[in-house]
Amino acid sequence: MKAFKTALLAGTLVMATGFAPDWTITVAKTDAGHLVGNPDAATKVAEYISYTCSHCADFARNGDPALKIAYVRTGKVSVEVRHLLRDPIDLTAAMLTHCGAADKFALNHAAIMLSQDKWLQVAASSTQAQRNRWSNPDRAAARRAIAADLDFYQLMEGRGYRTTDIDRCLADSAMETKLIQASRDDTVRLGLQGTPSFTINGKLLDHVHNWPALQQAIDAHLASTAAK
């Protein structure tokens, strides 16, 4: 409903001022992800990402900004970010990006992705004692330990979150279940084998795992639809 109201307001603004809206600031929660851009865009791109995937961090640096500026901003293309969870660190990061209102997601996502080289190095050199804490059967406690050891608390506090906010998001068992189930369902439904992977209007793009390949696929799709 919020995305619909934003779209309606944007349309009214265009008619009143003659200026096209910037659709990159329109963000709405989906069943287990976030949609950035015009919810009525004819071309819908979906990203399937893992926070512990180095290629996904490369795409966040080089692909996401170009995708938004060149395609999403105009309203012709929307992009949904969804999570393919590989391990408890992935889940912890994903739950933190979902923390708070939908309009906080894009910068939460960027903050974690763009600092991956720092916290992933800490994870790689973790001690057995740390890994034991990360395997705590109390999953909320395990996620708090991961967030503390990888400095996610400091990162999120820099985004304006309080410790109590972060703890509440990490303890959200309903979100945990939703993200895990969606990751499993998406993997089976699409046959996902790696990240990042992409779809256009629900169709998986074979052998497309970086920005140059995705840009080529988007351009080809837009050209084919324009020709019809």
Side-chain angles (χ1 to χ4, degrees):
M1 180 61 73
K2 182 177 180 181
F4 172 78
K5 290 180 178 178
T6 303
L8 184 62
L9 179 60
T12 302
L13 181 63
V14 172
M15 290 187 291
T17 66
F19 292 104
D22 178 359
W23 283 104
T24 62
I25 62 175
T26 301
V27 184
K29 290 187 177 182
T30 61
D31 62 327
H34 284 81
L35 181 75
V36 182
N38 181 1
D40 297 322
T43 300
K44 302 180 187 299
V45 174
E47 302 176 17
Y48 296 84
I49 60 94
S50 299
Y51 287 104
T52 54
C53 158
S54 61
H55 297 296
C56 297
D58 288 340
F59 184 81
R61 293 186 187 93
N62 303 310
D64 272 331
L67 174 60
K68 290 176 181 177
I69 292 171
Y71 299 94
V72 176
R73 182 195 296 268
T74 65
K76 294 181 180 179
V77 177
S78 66
V79 57
E80 182 184 9
V81 181
R82 297 180 68 86
H83 310 279
L84 200 163
L85 304 174
R86 307 196 303 181
D87 52 51
I89 296 175
D90 248 331
L91 176 59
T92 300
M95 291 179 72
L96 290 176
T97 64
H98 282 252
C99 194
D103 60 5
K104 292 182 176 293
F105 170 76
L107 291 181
N108 289 346
H109 171 77
I112 289 178
M113 272 300 194
L114 298 183
S115 61
Q116 185 202 76
D117 57 338
K118 297 178 181 179
W119 57 259
L120 200 56
Q121 184 176 4
V122 174
S125 60
S126 59
T127 65
Q128 186 60 53
Q130 288 175 311
R131 293 191 292 273
N132 289 342
R133 291 197 300 275
W134 300 353
S135 301
N136 190 330
D138 180 341
R139 300 314 302 155
R143 288 190 289 272
R144 289 195 298 271
I146 291 171
D149 290 345
L150 301 188
D151 289 333
F152 286 163
Y153 277 97
Q154 181 179 358
L155 183 151
M156 295 299 287
E157 286 165 358
R159 294 269 304 116
Y161 289 86
R162 299 170 299 179
T163 301
T164 52
D165 298 327
I166 300 168
D167 287 343
R168 183 172 60 254
C169 290
L170 292 174
D172 188 345
S173 59
M175 179 58 68
E176 173 189 21
T177 299
K178 181 184 293 186
L179 290 172
I180 291 173
Q181 190 60 54
S183 177
R184 290 172 178 167
D185 291 347
D186 289 344
T187 299
V188 172
R189 175 173 55 87
L190 295 168
L192 299 176
Q193 297 183 348
T195 51
S197 289
F198 306 92
T199 62
I200 293 180
N201 291 352
K203 182 179 180 180
L204 182 65
L205 302 177
D206 292 331
H207 308 298
V208 174
H209 302 289
N210 56 42
W211 170 237
L214 177 61
Q215 183 177 28
Q216 184 176 6
I218 294 173
D219 287 343
H221 175 81
L222 292 175
S224 67
T225 55
K228 292 179 180 179

